[in-house]
Amino acid sequence: MENKHVAVEGIVPVEKVLYTGKTMTTGGRNGESRSDDGKLDITLTPPGFPGSGTNPEQLFAAGWSACFIGAIGKAGQVLNIRVPADTAVNAEVDLGTNDNGYQLQARLKVSLPGLDEQTAKALLEMAHQTCPYSKATRGNIDVTIRLA
């Protein structure tokens, strides 16, 4: 298979790569996934099926929520707001179907203890604009972000 970069209209390519996550997955939703550095070594199990593995939706929820907390921290620096150390994001990623086939939708419920609603919402709005996962999903899936 030929390596070919396809430019998408309106998409600005990355100018400087900061990190590349590399994994190899075999067996799909009934398989295994491992990172090239050995730090990730997991068994995969389809959602709702017996087994001890995780699934792509859980992995996506974990990655997005971790990244979103980082984006909240960056927003706090820009807005000069001290972000609570116990900030938490509960992420839910649904796998479903519609007329176009399989589809994802997501909800992020963010806890920012000790911050007033206006301040917390300002952080969430900026974080959602800068978080790479939010950017990747914007306009592609239904996303709800709210304060806990």
Side-chain angles (χ1 to χ4, degrees):
M1 179 178 216
E2 182 181 334
N3 266 344
K4 194 176 210 181
H5 176 78
V6 178
V8 177
E9 188 176 329
I11 302 296
V12 179
V14 170
E15 291 179 10
K16 180 181 177 185
V17 174
L18 302 175
Y19 174 77
T20 300
K22 297 179 184 178
T23 63
M24 177 183 224
T25 301
T26 56
R29 288 179 176 271
N30 287 303
E32 298 174 336
S33 191
R34 291 181 180 80
S35 62
D36 66 329
D37 63 6
K39 291 182 180 182
L40 178 72
D41 186 356
I42 57 170
T43 300
L44 300 167
T45 305
F49 282 73
S52 60
T54 188
N55 59 66
E57 291 72 30
Q58 289 174 328
L59 293 169
F60 189 68
W64 193 355
S65 58
C67 186
F68 201 81
I69 289 173
I72 290 170
K74 292 287 186 187
Q77 291 173 353
V78 170
L79 299 173
N80 200 26
I81 298 169
R82 186 169 190 204
V83 175
D86 53 350
T87 295
V89 175
N90 289 319
E92 297 177 346
V93 175
D94 300 325
L95 171 64
T97 60
N98 60 24
D99 291 342
N100 294 321
Y102 290 104
Q103 182 73 31
L104 297 177
Q105 65 184 16
R107 293 166 303 285
L108 301 181
K109 188 167 119 180
V110 184
S111 174
L112 291 162
L115 294 183
D116 64 85
E117 186 174 345
Q118 182 179 354
T119 302
K121 284 185 175 182
L123 285 173
L124 295 187
E125 287 173 19
M126 182 174 275
H128 189 48
Q129 293 306 310
T130 60
C131 174
Y133 281 74
S134 292
K135 289 178 182 181
T137 59
R138 188 171 294 112
N140 294 308
I141 69 170
D142 184 34
V143 175
T144 303
I145 299 176
R146 67 180 182 88
L147 285 171

